[in-house]
Amino acid sequence: MRTAMVEMELDHDTGVMTGTILAGGYQGCSLDDLSDEELHTFWRETAQDPQSQKLVEAYLDRRLAAWREHFEADGAEGQGSAASSGPMTNEEAYQILGLSPDAGDAEIRAAHRRLMMRVHPDQGGSGFLAAKINEAKDTLLRRH
């Protein structure tokens, strides 16, 4: 997934997230290379772009279990619903689900189920990512 400030990748097999910063004070850096303090600074920078902030929050949910207690002490808002810049394209949906354009309905549902088992908030994952995965499934199943 790519937003104005960050590009994030999700390993569909392991559920591991990695990200590259596209804008701001840490432009060009990998999220994995930032210290906790630097992540906090970057997270505050992303307040100008809600989509970017939601992706960074999804990353933080996986990397720093108690990040919200510490980062949000300054009164910033927490995780809400997924921000949207318009309808998801089929290409984005295939990318999110890790599928090729020739995938059938059964493959779409299987990929959705597999990913949700890893990123659903009930499993310690991110509400933002779960919403994007649901949107991807719905987008692709609507085409039939």
Side-chain angles (χ1 to χ4, degrees), residues 40-142:
H40 184 194
T41 300
F42 180 62
W43 174 77
R44 284 194 320 252
E45 285 182 22
T46 63
Q48 62 187 311
D49 180 39
Q51 277 193 312
S52 295
Q53 191 164 55
K54 295 300 180 193
L55 273 182
V56 171
E57 289 174 354
Y59 173 84
L60 290 168
D61 285 340
R62 293 192 171 278
R63 177 167 161 184
L64 302 170
W67 74 269
R68 290 178 191 278
E69 290 174 26
H70 305 291
F71 286 20
E72 294 181 347
D74 62 7
E77 289 188 11
Q79 182 172 341
S81 62
S84 178
S85 61
M88 181 179 288
T89 66
N90 285 349
E91 182 179 310
E92 290 170 315
Y94 284 120
Q95 183 179 19
I96 288 168
L97 294 177
L99 297 171
S100 64
D102 62 346
D105 289 359
E107 291 171 288
I108 293 166
R109 286 186 175 91
H112 172 265
R113 190 171 29 259
R114 182 179 67 252
L115 289 170
M116 289 302 276
M117 289 172 58
R118 291 188 180 93
V119 302
H120 194 276
D122 291 346
Q123 303 298 320
S126 160
F128 175 75
L129 287 179
K132 284 298 200 183
I133 291 166
N134 283 333
E135 184 181 0
K137 179 194 76 164
D138 293 344
T139 296
L140 295 178
L141 292 178
R142 240 184 266 127

Side-chain angles (χ1 to χ4, degrees), residues 1-8 20-22 31 52 55-56:
M1 291 183 209
R2 184 181 181 111
T3 64
M5 297 185 75
V6 69
E7 181 173 44
M8 198 75 68
T20 302
I21 299 171
L22 304 174
L31 290 174
S52 295
L55 273 182
V56 171

